[in-house]
Amino acid sequence: MTALLRYQGALLLRSQRWLAPLIAYAALVAVGIRPGDPVADSLGLVAAGLVPAAAWLVRICVSVEPDAARACTAAAAGPVRVHAAALLTASTGALLAGAAAAAVALLTGDRSGTDPGRAALAGALAVAACALTGAAVGALCSRPLVRRRGHGILAATLGSLLALILAVSPARGAVSALVTAGRSGPVPLPLTALAGALLLAAGAGAAACLAAARRS
């Protein structure tokens, strides 16, 4: 699996298709975060922006490899492992982007009355929950489950929006925990949201990998 992860990472970097979601996410962070804003609010924005960014990265990673090369890789390593490596590569990229943005939020946000260590931990948990939720949306809205590009883009857009507004969404829970509860007391730790996001990402990833195995 390590070799597959390196291979998928090299494919992603060489394609330069990761620049679009990264630039869009960086622009959101630059516009949305202002020095002196409450740190919990800034961390909530950072986490929320990761949902569409992660979904976008997943769509890139599962489609960046040409079909002929994908068939050869799947024949050598197995379609499930190849697809899982693509999903893990995208999720790792989203987590790294979120970690960098969270660091900016922690450095520029107003931490008065807030324990910096607790705020950093809460931000890390929220970033992970939103990145995993976005990765789950991307996995369900990309090949092999959704073959047509237009349908996939529309589904990923709507899925990301629903992940941010539905009360049952782990991403919504993580962001709300930071933005709402953080204003009236200690910054809460969105552990429940992270657990839900892990289950959601595992289920979506398993469904996508099984579909890849059936289509191979």
Side-chain angles (χ1 to χ4, degrees):
M1 182 59 79
T2 302
L4 282 174
L5 290 173
R6 288 201 300 265
Y7 173 67
Q8 293 291 341
L11 281 176
L12 177 63
L13 291 175
R14 284 202 301 266
S15 73
Q16 298 186 357
R17 292 171 62 185
W18 54 272
L19 285 171
L22 182 62
I23 290 173
Y25 180 61
L28 172 67
V29 172
V31 172
I33 293 180
R34 294 174 298 178
D37 283 348
V39 68
D41 288 357
S42 297
L43 289 171
L45 176 67
V46 164
L50 267 186
V51 175
W56 195 348
L57 276 175
V58 167
R59 283 193 50 79
I60 291 172
C61 281
V62 300
S63 62
V64 68
E65 191 175 13
D67 290 339
R70 178 89 170 192
C72 294
T73 308
V80 171
R81 296 182 67 208
V82 171
H83 201 78
L87 296 177
L88 288 172
T89 299
S91 300
T92 301
L95 287 170
L96 290 175
V104 173
L106 287 168
L107 290 173
T108 61
D110 180 12
R111 299 185 299 275
S112 58
T114 302
D115 178 18
R118 186 177 179 86
L121 179 57
L125 295 174
V127 161
C130 288
L132 289 172
T133 302
V137 171
L140 294 175
C141 300
S142 305
R143 74 175 192 180
L145 295 174
V146 180
R147 300 292 294 180
R148 295 195 175 187
R149 182 180 180 185
H151 292 171
I153 293 174
L154 178 60
T157 302
L158 292 176
S160 298
L161 178 61
L162 290 175
L164 290 171
I165 64 176
L166 289 180
V168 296
S169 167
R172 165 69 184 273
V175 174
S176 296
L178 289 175
V179 175
T180 303
R183 295 175 179 174
S184 57
V187 179
L189 301 179
L191 294 172
T192 302
L194 178 59
L198 284 170
L199 291 175
L200 181 62
C209 289
L210 289 175
R214 291 194 192 102
R215 290 181 179 272
S216 62

